[in-house]
């Protein structure tokens, strides 16, 4: 101790004590600041932080709704949900993964791709999340796993509902299929509604009525920790299943139609003219939609996509063909209605047609010609020269204006997506699209449904139904009724009526229909062999579309053109003549002649419907 | 016995006389430690083994306190220079032969045990400053101040380069408090503050490691990096704020039990307390802490010699810095500095040092009469 300190201990102590007091006050102030901070966070900010804490811990998890079922008109199941089993492994519960995988392979067969995917997912996901090892376990594998369960801790068999199409390829182009939601689709969907859904309708009814079929997502509020592991379910709001849809298709008739087409590539559409309901819509070749549900393999997809007959291609909606001679009844009606000709007026057919000042001769399909024909004869015998002449006199724009209401060149508005509109050319169209003037020659071949004119099988069926209805137009459709999850019917919008086509003289319908009747049941009709023995009266028209006349750039035919130069065979018909109950359009690609190939198919379909099936079909049986 | 300069020396109880324990301080520390164990149990989410380990550590720490309380301040004072020099030497040894862990070199491996010289310095430094100041005039003159600054600066510098910012801060604070209590003139204090302010940018650009700069930036704006460095602060504030007035209840804190809160049984345990016991529980802890500091300052004020006064005051105020920094950091008032909440956080080393300090405080309080008269 120094001298000074000894001299002045009192002063020293006083100084230290004053400093201690200062320090104590500072401590008090600082603790006050801390208390103030705590008050700010816990009392003033309580609501804010309580909310954040709640958001932290509670996660809302979607529960997928059960997809609605699809039936045909008689209640035959077309699309259902079946339980399938997948094998999942929770890595954190497995002590030795390699060992487990080796042992489990003795019970379940695993492909190298299964293992690859498993290891890939294992890298990406936290250890407590289950990782699928194999999808679509067989019943046998499920049973074997159940027996050996105790040997595989961390391994589970999980059931889920998978879309299944019990009839396989039947009506695949109408029903469509579901597949995993892809990135592109995801951006257009309501994130909340689809938060738990893995599949979405890709084509057909599955796609068009996706909203009805899907239902509404359910919600489960779960408590999770910081790593996202679910600890418990707090509460749930169950999902609302999708609506069950009943289609107008009759699977029996559908099978008849598909059977009639056989190995050919083509399409058959059958419509009930009185309601607009599609009774059958076949597009061949077909494919198995079940391949697509859980991801189709690349090879399978390639063979479907690039195979020469293009099974995925929906010919009913998207196959655009020159209507050929099937346009003639409509042309005839146009001639009468525009005053260009009369039923009695005749044309001499020497086997070709020519116009003054032009060297070119447009040939009739019959060498030597039909001689002198009136409209009835021209339709019955399908005289080209008559219609060359009629078209030339009428002009393309008058044809365009008259044929458009029949649906040629305009989508029918069927309840399926992806429908193409065909093409009904006009002068204005050519100028706009091709940038070229219209030529007379193009008018002339348009008279027999060649040149630019294109129609889908569905459009031909719609036009035929309109003809059968004498102008009454009904939108073709597939949906008959929908049933909600409570078992009650859900209203289906019914905008099927369209303004009818009204002729100045309704008698003109009969003139044309009479001629169409003679096509199949007259003495000289082009398809008289098909209609001769029919126990009912019907009307029809054959058509043969020249393949090489197809406009270039049509993806569908371009590459097959060189290989397959045979004409497309077409046929339209309806029956009976009065009070028609079915209208059919048939297109057989490279089928040759309409009367020999397409017409018998239409007859088969009409026979099946009128003579057998209609009596027992729902909606008709009690008539 | 008849000298009454030291006040209530007459009514010494048994523990005071024979065990040299200061009852008020002992009760306060026991209360804090017991409360801490309750909170820690929740933070461990029923991991009884780890909790039990902490109980043993607390026992060891209280035993160290008891031992230190038996050492008379005079003896401590005599040994002070030697202890200090040993501390500085071991810090140098750490720099040269230390064991690295987590990017910092803080430990010496003695073969049988690992020692952390910086912890030791938390006590040796204030002792040394008190020792120097107790030999000199009051208030200290400039040469003495410079000596003290060197006494503080050397070990603090050695700790800072380990790097261990938290401990460096505490050690520096301990020395500075002793200097402050020693009567450093207000002029120098003001000058020192200005100098520190000027040094801050220099420290930023030359003195700090990258991760330390990140901490400061994150402190200024936690949202800058909400999933990285800012995550701690954000989750911690949510835990505290969602506790409300009375808290979510013991073992019912969702932030901590669902693992949103990082470091919940060590540096961020205050957030667990706040979440489960609310503003009420926080106030109880703050009152207890304040009482501990208050009792320490009272002991300093009634100590019998300058060395004891300065040392007791410094130890008490360092304890304050300890909990103030931790709570300030957890509640987002201060940048994240790795400091535990004294007597509550899980961990042994710093607790032992802390209790050793309280042992010295008790010794100062209970040895008064024996050598005063």
């Amino acid at each position: 101790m120094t001298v000074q300190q000894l001299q002045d201990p009192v002063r020293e102590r006083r100084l230290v004590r004053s400093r201690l007091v200062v320090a104590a006050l500072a401590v008090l102030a600082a603790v006050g600041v801390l208390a103030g901070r705590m008050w700010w966070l816990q009392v003033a900010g309580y609501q804010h932080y309580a909310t954040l804490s709640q958001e932290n811990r509670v996660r809302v998890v979607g529960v997928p709704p059960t997809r609605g079922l699809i039936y045909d008109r008689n209640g035959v199941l077309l699309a259902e949900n079946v339980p399938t089993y997948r094998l999942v492994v929770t890595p954190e519960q497995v002590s030795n993964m390699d060992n487990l995988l080796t042992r489990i392979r003795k019970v379940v067969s695993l492909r190298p791709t299964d293992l690859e995917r498993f290891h890939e997912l294992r890298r990406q996901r936290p250890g407590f999340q289950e990782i699928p090892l194999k999808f679509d376990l067989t019943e046998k594998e499920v049973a074997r796993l159940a027996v050996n369960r105790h040997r595989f801790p961390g391994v589970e068999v999980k059931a889920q509902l998978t879309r299944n199409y019990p009839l396989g390829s039947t009506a695949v182009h109408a029903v469509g299929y579901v597949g995993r939601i892809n990135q592109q689709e995801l951006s257009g969907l309501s994130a909340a509604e689809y938060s738990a859904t893995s599949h979405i309708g890709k084509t057909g009814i599955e796609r068009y009525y996706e909203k009805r079929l899907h239902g509404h997502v359910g919600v489960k509020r779960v408590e999770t920790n910081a790593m996202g592991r679910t600890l418990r379910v707090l509460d749930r709001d169950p999902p609302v299943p999708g609506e069950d849809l009943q289609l107008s298709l009759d699977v029996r008739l559908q099978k008849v139609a598909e059977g009639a087409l056989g190995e050919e590539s083509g399409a058959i559409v059958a419509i009930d003219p009185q309601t607009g309901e599609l009774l059958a819509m076949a597009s061949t070749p077909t494919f198995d939609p079940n391949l697509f549900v859980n991801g189709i393999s690349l090879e399978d997809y390639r063979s479907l996509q690039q195979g020469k007959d293009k099974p995925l291609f929906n010919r009913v909606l998207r196959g655009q063909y020159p209507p050929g001679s099937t346009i003639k009844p409509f042309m005839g009606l146009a001639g009468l209605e525009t005053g260009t000709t009369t039923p009695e007026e005749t044309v001499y057919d020497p086997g070709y047609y020519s116009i003054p000042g032009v060297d070119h001769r447009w040939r009739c399909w019959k060498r030597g010609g039909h001689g002198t024909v009136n409209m009835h004869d021209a339709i019955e015998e399908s005289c080209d020269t008559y219609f060359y002449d009629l078209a030339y006199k009428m002009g393309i724009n008058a044809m365009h204006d008259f044929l458009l209401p029949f649906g040629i060149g305009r989508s029918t508005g069927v309840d399926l997506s992806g429908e193409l509109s065909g093409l009904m050319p006009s002068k204005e169209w050519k100028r706009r699209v091709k940038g070229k003037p219209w030529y007379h020659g193009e008018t002339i071949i348009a008279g027999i449904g060649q040149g630019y004119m294109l129609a889908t099988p569905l459009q031909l069926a719609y036009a035929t139904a309109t003809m059968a209805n004498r102008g009454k137009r009904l939108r073709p459709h597939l949906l008959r009724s929908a049933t909600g999850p409570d078992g009650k019917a859900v209203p289906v919008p019914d905008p099927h009526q369209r303004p009818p086509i009204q002729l100045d003289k309704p008698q003109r319908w009969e003139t044309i229909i009479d001629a169409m009747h003679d096509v199949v049941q007259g003495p000289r009709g082009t398809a008289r062999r098909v209609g001769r023995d029919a126990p009912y009266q019907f009307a029809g028209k054959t058509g043969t579309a020249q393949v090489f006349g197809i406009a270039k750039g049509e993806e569908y035919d371009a590459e097959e053109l060189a290989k397959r130069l045979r004409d497309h065979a077409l046929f339209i018909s309806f029956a009976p003549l009065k009070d028609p109950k079915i209208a059919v359009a048939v297109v057989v690609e490279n089928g040759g002649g309409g009367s020999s190939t397409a017409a018998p198919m239409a007859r088969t379909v009409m026979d099946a419907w009128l003579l057998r099936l209609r009596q027992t079909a729902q909606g008709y049986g009690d008539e | 016995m008849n000298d009454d300069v030291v006040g209530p020396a007459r009514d010494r109880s048994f523990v005071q006389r024979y065990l040299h324990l200061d009852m008020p301080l002992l009760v306060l520390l026991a209360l804090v430690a017991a409360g801490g164990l309750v909170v820690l149990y929740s933070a461990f989410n029923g991991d009884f083994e780890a909790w039990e380990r902490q109980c043993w550590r607390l026992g060891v720490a209280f035993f160290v306190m008891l031992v230190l309380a038996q050492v008379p301040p005079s003896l401590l004072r005599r040994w002070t220079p030697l202890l200090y020099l040993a501390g500085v030497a071991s810090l140098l040894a750490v720099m040269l032969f230390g064991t690295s862990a987590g990017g910092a070199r803080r430990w010496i491996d003695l073969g049988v045990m690992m020692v952390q010289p910086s912890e030791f310095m938390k006590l040796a430094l204030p002792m040394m400053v008190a020792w120097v100041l107790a030999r000199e005039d009051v208030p200290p003159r400039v040469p003495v101040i410079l000596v003290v600054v060197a006494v503080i600066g050397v070990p603090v510098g050695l700790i800072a380069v380990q790097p261990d910012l938290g401990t460096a801060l505490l050690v520096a604070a301990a020395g500075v408090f002793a200097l402050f209590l020693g009567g450093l003139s207000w002029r120098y204090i003001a000058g020192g503050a200005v100098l520190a302010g000027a040094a801050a940018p220099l420290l930023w650009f030359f003195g700090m490691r990258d991760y330390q700069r990140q901490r400061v930036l994150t402190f200024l704006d936690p949202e800058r990096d909400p999933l990285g460095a800012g995550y701690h602060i954000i989750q911690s504030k949510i835990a505290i704020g969602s506790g409300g007035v009375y808290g979510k209840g013991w073992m019912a804190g969702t932030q901590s039990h669902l693992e949103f809160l990082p470091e919940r049984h060590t540096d961020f345990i205050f957030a667990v307390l706040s979440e489960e016991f609310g503003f009420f529980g926080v106030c109880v802890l703050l009152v207890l802490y304040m009482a501990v500091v208050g009792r320490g300052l009272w002991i300093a004020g009634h100590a019998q010699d300058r060395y004891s006064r300065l040392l007791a005051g410094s130890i008490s105020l360092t304890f304050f810095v300890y909990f103030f920094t931790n709570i300030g950091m957890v509640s987002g008032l201060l940048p994240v500095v790795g400091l535990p909440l004294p007597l509550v956080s899980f961990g042994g080393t710093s607790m032992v040092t802390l209790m050793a300090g309280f042992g010295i405080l008790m010794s100062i309080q209970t040895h008064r009469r024996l050598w005063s008269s």
Side-chain angles (χ1 to χ4, degrees):
Chain A
M1 278 178 231
T2 61
V3 183
Q4 285 97 331
Q5 204 182 345
L6 283 176
Q7 282 174 340
D8 205 353
V10 179
R11 188 175 152 238
E12 187 274 339
R13 169 173 284 196
R14 208 186 300 134
L15 181 65
V16 173
R17 282 198 170 173
S18 74
R19 285 294 163 96
L20 284 171
V21 169
V22 170
L25 290 176
V27 168
L28 211 60
V31 172
V33 168
L34 286 185
R37 173 68 174 173
M38 289 302 145
W39 186 89
W40 175 250
L41 290 176
Q42 299 193 284
V43 181
Y46 172 68
Q47 283 302 334
H48 174 66
Y49 289 111
T51 309
L52 288 180
S53 147
Q54 193 72 358
E55 277 171 13
N56 251 348
R57 112 190 141 94
V58 175
R59 216 136 282 181
V60 175
V61 181
V63 182
T66 309
R67 197 172 176 85
L69 308 180
I70 304 175
Y71 298 96
D72 90 333
R73 72 181 306 129
N74 302 316
V76 176
L77 200 53
L78 301 177
E80 61 180 343
N81 306 305
V82 296
T84 54
Y85 301 94
R86 79 207 138 102
L87 186 65
V88 297
V89 178
T90 311
E92 73 169 11
Q93 292 171 12
V94 177
S95 49
N96 185 341
M97 185 63 80
D98 290 332
N99 176 276
L100 176 92
L101 291 177
T102 318
R103 284 187 298 129
I104 211 161
R105 291 187 85 147
K106 289 174 187 152
V107 181
V108 176
S109 72
L110 295 175
R111 284 168 303 190
T113 50
D114 291 330
L115 288 169
E116 258 169 53
R117 185 191 48 228
F118 177 75
H119 289 303
E120 181 66 33
L121 288 173
R122 222 179 112 198
R123 268 195 297 280
Q124 296 165 4
R125 296 188 186 170
F128 58 80
Q129 247 184 38
E130 52 188 40
I131 294 170
L133 182 56
K134 192 182 184 193
F135 297 99
D136 288 328
L137 292 174
T138 63
E139 301 262 331
K140 239 184 200 169
E141 286 172 328
V142 172
R144 272 205 299 265
L145 279 164
V147 171
N148 290 297
R149 214 192 130 92
H150 62 281
R151 288 177 51 213
F152 304 117
V155 174
E156 270 180 289
V157 174
K158 290 258 162 144
Q160 65 189 356
L161 287 178
T162 302
R163 198 63 155 175
N164 182 51
Y165 303 97
L167 300 186
S169 64
T170 303
V172 63
H173 290 288
V175 175
Y177 55 84
V178 299
R180 289 188 186 282
I181 300 174
N182 62 34
Q183 279 302 317
Q184 199 188 334
E185 289 160 339
L186 206 57
S187 59
L189 292 172
S190 147
E193 198 61 83
Y194 279 82
S195 59
T197 306
S198 57
H199 286 66
I200 189 172
K202 298 277 184 183
T203 63
I205 286 291
E206 291 272 32
R207 174 164 171 189
Y208 192 87
Y209 289 113
E210 171 63 28
K211 254 195 175 151
R212 284 174 180 270
L213 288 165
H214 180 259
H216 294 291
V217 68
V219 168
K220 201 164 64 170
R221 295 189 334 124
V222 299
E223 186 175 80
T224 59
N225 68 7
M227 268 76 77
R229 182 206 293 261
T230 300
L231 301 177
R232 64 196 167 109
V233 178
L234 299 173
D235 56 52
R236 53 175 94 222
D237 188 5
V240 179
E243 297 170 15
D244 293 343
L245 303 184
Q246 188 181 47
L247 304 186
S248 58
L249 292 182
D250 186 315
V251 162
R252 301 170 301 174
L253 190 66
Q254 177 76 22
K255 283 182 173 161
V256 168
E258 287 174 10
L261 280 165
E263 297 294 303
E264 304 280 2
S265 299
I268 295 181
V269 181
I271 296 185
D272 179 347
Q274 293 171 5
T275 59
E277 287 180 353
L278 286 162
L279 302 171
M281 56 165 279
S283 171
T284 53
T286 59
F287 60 95
D288 182 3
N290 292 307
L291 287 176
F292 285 83
V293 175
N294 269 320
I296 186 168
S297 73
L298 201 61
E299 304 98 89
D300 283 351
Y301 187 70
R302 222 171 249 158
S303 73
L304 285 178
Q305 176 83 353
Q306 296 169 354
K308 72 178 169 138
D309 292 323
K310 298 194 170 148
L312 295 182
F313 185 60
N314 189 342
R315 289 166 167 81
V316 171
L317 294 181
R318 300 179 65 83
Q320 302 188 105
Y321 307 89
S325 299
T326 59
I327 204 70
K328 284 173 183 169
F330 305 94
M331 277 294 298
L333 201 58
L336 298 177
E337 191 62 12
T338 53
T340 315
T341 186
T342 63
E344 294 76 30
E345 210 171 303
T346 57
V347 168
Y348 178 73
D349 168 26
Y352 61 89
Y353 179 69
S354 59
I355 49 173
V358 179
D359 280 345
H360 189 79
R361 285 179 170 186
W362 287 272
R363 301 203 161 274
C364 182
W365 64 271
K366 189 174 180 182
R367 259 164 217 259
H370 293 88
T372 303
V373 290
N374 64 10
M375 178 165 298
H376 185 99
D377 306 328
I379 292 175
E380 183 181 352
E381 297 172 44
S382 200
C383 173
D384 289 342
T385 306
Y386 180 92
F387 285 98
Y388 290 144
D389 180 60
L390 181 61
Y392 180 64
K393 286 179 183 156
M394 206 188 316
I396 189 67
N397 282 0
M399 288 164 60
H400 171 269
D401 293 349
F402 187 83
L403 291 178
L404 211 57
F406 283 88
I408 308 296
R410 186 185 276 174
S411 316
T412 64
V414 71
D415 47 357
L416 290 170
S417 34
E419 183 188 10
L420 294 181
S421 64
L423 180 59
M424 182 63 223
S426 66
K427 287 181 183 175
E428 194 227 1
W429 165 83
K430 196 180 175 195
R431 218 179 6 254
R432 196 180 65 236
V433 176
K434 305 250 168 193
K436 284 183 188 152
W438 185 265
Y439 299 115
H440 285 309
E442 293 166 339
T443 308
I444 290 165
I445 58 168
I448 61 160
Q450 296 284 356
Y452 296 119
M453 201 188 293
L454 293 172
T456 64
L458 182 63
Q459 285 175 322
L460 291 177
Y462 174 65
T464 308
T466 304
M467 178 70 83
N469 274 342
R470 278 78 168 169
K472 189 175 122 193
R473 298 189 301 165
L474 290 158
R475 183 176 76 106
H477 60 276
L478 278 165
L479 183 64
R480 275 199 96 204
S481 64
T483 312
D486 51 359
K488 288 186 190 136
V490 180
V492 175
D494 185 28
H496 302 315
Q497 289 271 4
R498 287 175 173 158
I501 296 169
Q502 276 168 330
L503 301 185
D504 291 342
K505 290 186 183 161
Q507 184 54 35
R508 287 169 181 156
W509 291 113
E510 306 309 325
T511 304
I512 302 299
I513 290 169
D514 193 39
M516 287 177 76
H517 174 48
D518 279 354
V519 168
V520 288
Q521 288 171 328
R524 286 168 313 198
T526 48
R528 60 185 179 278
R529 271 193 308 260
V530 173
R532 198 160 42 205
D533 57 344
Y536 49 86
Q537 291 204 307
F538 72 107
K541 183 68 195 82
T542 54
T544 301
Q546 291 170 343
V547 168
F548 53 82
I550 292 174
K552 265 200 175 156
E554 282 304 315
E555 61 136 283
Y556 162 55
D557 271 53
E559 63 182 33
E560 288 184 20
L561 212 54
K563 288 179 277 179
R564 302 185 151 200
L565 285 171
R566 278 215 298 171
D567 295 342
H568 294 331
L570 292 89
F571 191 73
I572 59 171
S573 67
F574 65 88
L577 287 185
K578 297 266 180 318
D579 195 21
K581 294 182 167 52
I582 185 170
V584 180
V586 179
V587 175
V588 181
E589 289 179 6
N590 314 112
S595 59
S596 57
T597 315
M601 294 181 185
R603 171 76 199 276
T604 307
V605 169
M606 287 191 298
D607 277 2
W609 184 243
L610 295 174
L611 305 181
R612 289 190 294 123
L613 303 177
R614 191 170 183 278
Q615 285 72 22
T616 52
Q618 189 140 36
Y620 301 113
D622 47 344
E623 274 181 18
Chain B
M1 278 293 205
N2 52 1
D3 184 353
D4 201 15
V5 180
V6 289
R10 263 180 311 238
D11 43 47
R12 277 181 185 163
S13 62
F14 168 81
V15 274
Q16 215 162 354
R17 199 172 317 148
Y18 297 105
L19 293 178
H20 294 285
L21 293 176
D22 178 52
M23 265 323 267
L25 193 55
L26 183 67
V27 168
L28 288 170
L29 292 173
L31 280 175
V32 174
L37 282 177
V38 169
V39 177
L40 196 66
Y41 187 83
S42 175
F44 271 126
N45 202 6
D47 178 359
F48 191 76
E49 235 172 84
W51 184 78
E52 208 181 10
R53 204 154 68 233
Q54 179 73 357
C55 290
W56 281 109
R57 280 179 186 164
L58 263 175
V60 169
F62 271 82
F63 179 74
V64 168
M65 178 189 76
L66 182 70
V67 170
L68 264 284
Q70 314 312 313
V71 181
S74 54
L75 186 64
L76 215 53
R77 185 178 178 182
R78 215 170 303 141
W79 284 84
T80 294
L82 204 64
L83 290 174
Y84 175 78
L85 287 175
V88 171
S90 52
L91 279 176
L92 279 168
V94 165
M95 205 167 71
L96 298 174
F97 323 109
T99 310
S100 297
R105 194 179 279 257
R106 296 175 184 173
W107 301 82
I108 296 183
D109 192 349
L110 291 184
V112 279
M113 61 184 292
M114 305 274 276
V115 292
Q116 199 175 350
S118 54
E119 278 298 324
F120 176 68
M121 217 58 199
K122 280 182 189 167
L123 292 173
L125 180 75
M127 281 159 73
M128 187 63 192
V129 174
W131 185 85
V132 171
L133 290 176
R135 293 162 54 96
E136 301 294 335
D137 287 348
V138 181
R141 284 165 310 196
V142 174
V144 179
I145 295 172
L146 290 179
V147 168
V148 170
V149 167
V151 163
I152 298 173
V154 169
V156 167
L158 286 173
I159 295 168
V161 299
Q162 286 180 352
D164 186 350
L165 214 59
T167 309
L169 181 92
L170 280 179
V171 171
V176 169
F177 285 140
L179 186 57
F180 168 76
L181 295 174
L184 181 66
S185 115
W186 287 106
R187 260 186 309 149
Y188 294 133
I189 294 173
V194 169
L195 216 67
L202 289 176
L203 186 70
W204 174 264
F205 288 112
F206 304 109
M208 284 175 117
R209 305 264 172 126
D210 213 36
Y211 81 95
Q212 293 166 331
R213 279 188 215 129
Q214 286 302 326
R215 280 185 182 179
V216 176
L217 284 176
T218 304
F219 156 67
L220 294 174
D221 181 15
E223 307 293 336
R224 214 172 63 96
D225 186 11
L227 291 178
Y231 180 82
H232 285 44
I233 301 285
I234 291 169
Q235 294 299 339
S236 168
K237 275 161 73 176
I238 292 174
I240 295 171
S242 63
V245 176
Y246 295 107
K248 296 174 182 170
W250 186 53
M251 301 287 283
T254 54
Q255 284 288 105
S256 43
H257 285 270
L258 302 179
E259 296 165 43
F260 289 101
L261 193 64
E263 308 284 342
R264 61 193 171 283
H265 41 259
T266 54
D267 290 0
F268 280 76
I269 194 157
F270 181 76
V272 178
L273 168 89
S274 310
E275 189 186 18
E276 300 195 345
F277 299 97
F279 187 59
F280 179 77
V282 167
C283 286
V284 169
L285 182 76
L286 286 179
V287 166
L288 284 176
Y289 274 155
M290 248 187 342
V292 168
V293 174
R295 180 63 185 170
L297 294 180
W298 189 92
I299 290 171
H302 293 80
Q304 267 167 329
D305 65 310
R306 184 165 166 75
Y307 173 81
S308 301
R309 277 193 279 275
L310 298 187
L311 182 55
S314 167
I315 289 173
S316 308
L317 290 174
T318 306
F319 177 75
F320 156 74
V321 171
Y322 230 125
F323 77 78
F324 179 81
T325 310
N326 178 272
I327 296 177
M329 149 188 114
V330 171
S331 64
L333 274 181
L334 298 173
V336 175
V337 183
L339 279 186
L341 186 66
L343 294 177
V344 179
S345 284
F346 182 69
T349 317
S350 67
M351 194 162 60
V352 169
T353 320
L354 201 70
M355 294 308 286
F358 285 118
I360 292 172
L361 267 182
M362 290 186 172
S363 156
I364 288 170
Q365 169 66 2
T366 54
H367 284 90
R368 281 186 307 183
R369 166 179 277 191
L370 296 177
W371 59 288
S372 76
S373 45

